[in-house]
Amino acid sequence: MGRRVAIVGVGHSKYGYRNDVSLAELAWESIKQALNDAGIGQEDIDYVVYGNVGVWSSEPLPAVVINEYAGLTPRGTVRVEAACATGSAAIKLGHDIVASGEADIVLVVGVEKMNESPTPTVVELIGRAGNYFWEFENFGLTFPGYYALYATAYMARYGATEEDLCKVAVKNHYYASMNPKAHFPRQITLEQCMQSRYIAWPLKLFDCSPITDGSAAVILASEEIARKLTDTPVWIKAIGTASDTSNISRRPDFLLRRGVMEAARMAYKKAGIDPENPARYLDAAEVHDAFTIAEILTYEELGFAKPGEGYKLIREGQTYIGGLIPVNVSGGLKAKGHPLGATGVGMAVELTKQLRGEADKGRQVPVKNGMAVANNVGGTGHYAYVMIYSLQP
Amino acid sequence: MSQKKQMEEYMKQVEAFVEEVKKSTGLPIVPDQRTGAALWFDQRELSIRYTISVERIRKFFEGLAEGKVYATKCKHCGATYFPPQADCPKCRRGDMEWIEITGEGELLTYTIIYTKPASFAHYPDYTVGIARFPQGVNVLAWVRETDPKKLRVGMKVRLEVVRRQPENYLTYELVPVDEQG
Ligand SMILES: [Zn+2]
């Protein structure tokens, strides 16, 4: 069971093409905000966890470089990797360290500077992140390609269309337009999405999240410390985590990812959420829409829709504020951006602000239940994390 | 122009520009084309090529030379593996036999890759598909058809060993059965 753990401070850089800052400067933007938000100093931090995938950026040991820049040396530190779910893996490690009693205050930083390499190199490095030898070496899959395999199978079985996919992009850009931290803070039309070029058939440019630089930070504290530091701690109520085959060809089905479903089952169980009707318990969801099809699959995997009916939720506008459950009102990975190591931490920052009632004008969800869910998926479902954040411990 | 040529042209231009700048300023610092921010152009290039151990599944590659694509099957519990595994994690034994993947497969899903990774940029657009074969295994490979109108989930395909060009090495492809007449 362990001790209860709360988020007591958050920070979030502007996501985007951030060639104006170095990796350490980018991380510092969110570390500084998080320290100020929690009202503590570097000396209060017991341990620091960095989520960073790297390779595209030049520093091979980013944890120590950033620790030094941010005045955190000689605090113990580690760098965590779980592909696109790296940020959530970092939060899980930070959470477990506090829950175990090993530390009282842990700083978790997600940071990624993908634009230190040219785009074709980044496409190459992400593409290699499936099962390298059997998928990439001979067949050159890309990440849009992997998700296109899901989209083709989904459309063929359930009759969803390319327009349905584009509707996810339109929604997420709509909310990103109200988020000054977003990579693309602007709206798009359905026509713009439909007319964009194919990246990996049937996915088009506007179905895909961008190559983003960014950082996000959360400060985690034990219950005793959290209650001293803030009146509005946001509790990490539950964490579910699971995995799936590295080889996508070994999945029994391309339409529901077992890892995500298992992670959701674990998290809902720990948080006391009825898996048959989770939307009733939750005020908001931040889900892994690296590609538009992923958001639709996630509606089903998290239990917001029955298998094969996820696309109807976006057709009916049920995932806008005022619908069944608001999903990705930050703009999501699609429009807020997807700096791999930062993404899961950015979701935690977003939901903390939503639960505290501090989100930007026009995209604050009504807080009725005081509970929200984040779903962060690494690879093509390889790493799955589902976190429940709550105003009640 | 292929994506590879475009990339090379672009990098050549950037490098030439950096050389010019270094001559006049003594520093490899150039303005970002989009934002004007100062960027240090890395003077150390890293190029990586791995060696990958295939000793314990050597038979798979010998099979390709004979025009066959093999999966492995555990002699103890009967579990079948593709890609082939030398070990069966289910019963923790390594006593495997090799079975050939033959007959008609059914295409489960596919995509056509238009934006390619750097090391695939010299190929024309290619289709990647996954097909299920009667031996109970799924195979991911290129599909010999790049027109989305001629592809559909459920279509019949067979496996064929081919020599991949321009690298000139043996690999396998999924070939639509209709195309063969
Ligand atoms: Zn066995």
Side-chain angles (χ1 to χ4, degrees), chain B residues 74 77 88 90-91:
Chain B
C74 175
C77 74
C88 178
K90 287 183 181 143
C91 50

Side-chain angles (χ1 to χ4, degrees), chain A residues 32-50:
Chain A
K32 182 174 73 176
Q33 287 173 34
L35 290 170
N36 289 342
D37 188 34
I40 60 172
Q42 283 93 330
E43 67 282 2
D44 298 313
I45 304 286
D46 296 317
Y47 191 72
V48 191
V49 180
Y50 288 94

